[in-house]
């Protein structure tokens, strides 16, 4: 059977992708951002996942005001790289796992999570930057990817608790898939950042650190955290952090923290990264 073996979270800052694409990772400004991923790259080489369920949000690349799915799952065999205004990032096409994706879609919908099924979708920095951070600059991604796109751009995004419950439903779906696959789930976005208005540039290290602590120590509190707290404490784009709760819900009640990285700033955003595995 398929096994959900680990989860990780990471920011998906577009400038981080650009730094990699433009060969700037060794510069003084960027070096500490990327150094925090060295441990994970080594760990991931040993883990060798077959599939990553990658939770992210689209930034008006595949969806716009015409269509706003709260939860969408990519069921295609492959996903082209979106052109976000500077041409597509020079990274490999993302290969899907259509059979497992359809299985998850079916399992979640029959489990009363009405996912939007997407068969054609370009993927933007929200999905490709995490892949670059964990796998580096490669000719071909070493995993299949099942994109799970969450609306956190247009109000209302889903609640943290709803995200958690979706994570649990995804875990049940993976556990009922017959092929022996090593599956990971990643939650992306965050941490504190605000891109517009008088508070543009907001970073809240203390609150971010507490959020990272609570992923392991007190996830029940995170499930109940209202949107207004994300907005007030982590800025208008900090709401992306609800997506981390899909990853966290999927790993079950207890987890072990394997690695953590927090760095300020990258672009105008706090970088947060954590690696977790289910604990008995
Ligand atoms: Fe984002």
């Amino acid at each position: 059977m398929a096994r959900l073996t680990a989860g990780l979270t990471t920011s998906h800052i577009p400038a981080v992708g650009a730094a990699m694409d433009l060969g700037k990772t060794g510069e003084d400004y960027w070096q500490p951002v990327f150094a925090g991923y060295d441990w994970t790259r080594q760990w991931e080489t040993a883990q060798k996942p077959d599939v990553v369920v990658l939770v992210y949000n689209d930034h008006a690349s595949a969806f716009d005001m015409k269509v706003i799915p709260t939860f969408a799952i990519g069921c295609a065999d492959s996903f082209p790289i979106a052109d976000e205004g500077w041409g597509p990032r020079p990274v490999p096409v993302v290969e899907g796992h259509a059979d497992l994706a359809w299985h998850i879609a079916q399992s979640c919908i029959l489990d009363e999570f009405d996912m939007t099924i997407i068969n054609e979708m370009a993927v933007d920095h929200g999905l490709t930057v995490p892949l670059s951070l964990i796998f580096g600059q490669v000719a071909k991604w070493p995993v299949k990817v099942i994109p799970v796109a969450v609306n956190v751009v247009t109000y209302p995004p889903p609640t943290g608790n709803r995200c958690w419950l979706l994570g649990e439903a995804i875990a049940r779906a993976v556990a009922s898939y017959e092929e022996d696959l090593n599956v990971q789930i990643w939650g992306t976005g965050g941490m504190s950042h605000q891109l517009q208005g008088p508070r543009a540039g907001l970073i809240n290290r203390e609150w971010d650190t507490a959020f990272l602590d609570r992923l392991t120590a007190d996830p029940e509190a995170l499930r109940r955290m209202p949107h207004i707290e994300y907005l007030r404490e982590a800025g208008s784009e900090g709401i992306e952090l609800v997506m981390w709760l899909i990853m966290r819900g999927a790993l079950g009640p207890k987890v072990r923290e394997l690695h953590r990285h927090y760095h300020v700033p990258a672009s105008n955003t706090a970088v947060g990264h954590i690696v977790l595995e289910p604990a008995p």
Side-chain angles (χ1 to χ4, degrees):
M1 304 297 279
R3 294 158 288 122
L4 199 52
T5 55
L8 64 83
T9 68
T10 177
S11 309
H12 59 219
I13 305 162
V16 167
M20 294 185 77
D21 301 342
L22 300 172
K24 295 182 174 180
T25 57
E27 291 184 1
D28 289 349
Y29 180 86
W30 288 110
Q31 201 280 331
V33 174
F34 292 100
Y37 289 86
D38 288 346
W39 184 92
T40 312
R41 285 187 184 183
Q42 234 175 339
W43 168 82
E44 192 69 324
T45 305
Q47 295 294 307
K48 292 191 178 61
D50 300 298
V51 183
V52 169
V53 176
L54 205 157
V55 181
Y56 76 111
N57 67 288
D58 177 77
H59 304 76
S61 301
F63 309 124
D64 57 23
M65 292 305 282
K66 285 186 287 191
V67 182
I68 307 171
T70 300
F71 297 122
I73 181 164
C75 293
D77 287 321
S78 70
F79 304 91
I81 309 303
D83 182 348
E84 298 181 69
W86 298 271
R89 288 193 61 215
V91 295
V93 164
V94 174
E95 283 183 28
H97 193 302
D99 200 56
L100 177 58
W102 275 99
H103 172 83
I104 292 173
Q106 172 180 309
S107 179
C108 284
I109 290 168
L110 298 182
D111 217 355
E112 302 179 349
F113 272 91
D114 303 321
M115 311 292 287
T116 300
I117 294 167
I118 307 286
N119 289 317
E120 202 174 301
M121 177 168 71
V123 288
D124 70 13
H125 71 269
L127 186 133
T128 63
V129 167
L131 288 173
S132 296
L133 280 167
I134 306 304
F135 296 119
Q137 285 159 303
V138 291
K140 182 178 176 354
W141 300 121
V143 288
K144 309 265 191 198
V145 177
I146 298 177
V148 172
V150 180
N151 168 44
V152 291
V153 172
T154 303
Y155 199 82
T159 64
N161 189 53
R162 188 68 175 155
C163 288
W164 180 287
L165 293 170
L166 175 59
E168 290 184 339
I170 290 172
R172 286 191 290 274
V174 170
S176 64
Y177 188 70
E178 284 193 354
E179 193 181 340
D180 180 29
L181 293 175
N182 178 354
V183 181
Q184 291 185 353
I185 182 162
W186 298 5
T188 74
M191 296 195 80
S192 55
H193 64 303
Q194 173 147 345
L195 303 181
Q196 70 268 298
R199 296 204 308 163
L202 177 144
I203 302 276
N204 188 342
R205 178 189 286 269
E206 200 179 331
W207 188 90
D208 285 342
T209 304
F211 192 95
L212 290 166
D213 290 343
R214 280 184 284 184
L215 274 178
T216 302
D218 191 11
E220 287 300 315
L222 295 183
R223 286 175 76 162
R224 292 189 298 273
M225 186 184 289
H227 287 149
I228 193 71
E229 180 168 345
Y230 290 93
L231 189 69
R232 187 180 63 233
E233 302 295 337
S236 52
E237 278 66 45
I239 191 63
E240 290 185 343
L241 286 165
V242 290
M243 296 187 289
W244 290 24
L245 299 184
I246 297 177
M247 179 286 304
R248 183 59 193 83
L251 295 186
K254 288 196 183 147
V255 293
R256 198 159 71 90
E257 181 178 328
L258 302 179
H259 176 65
R260 181 193 294 204
H261 171 47
Y262 184 80
H263 178 79
V264 172
S267 181
N268 47 9
T269 306
V271 174
H273 168 49
I274 203 161
V275 181
L276 304 173
E277 67 179 7

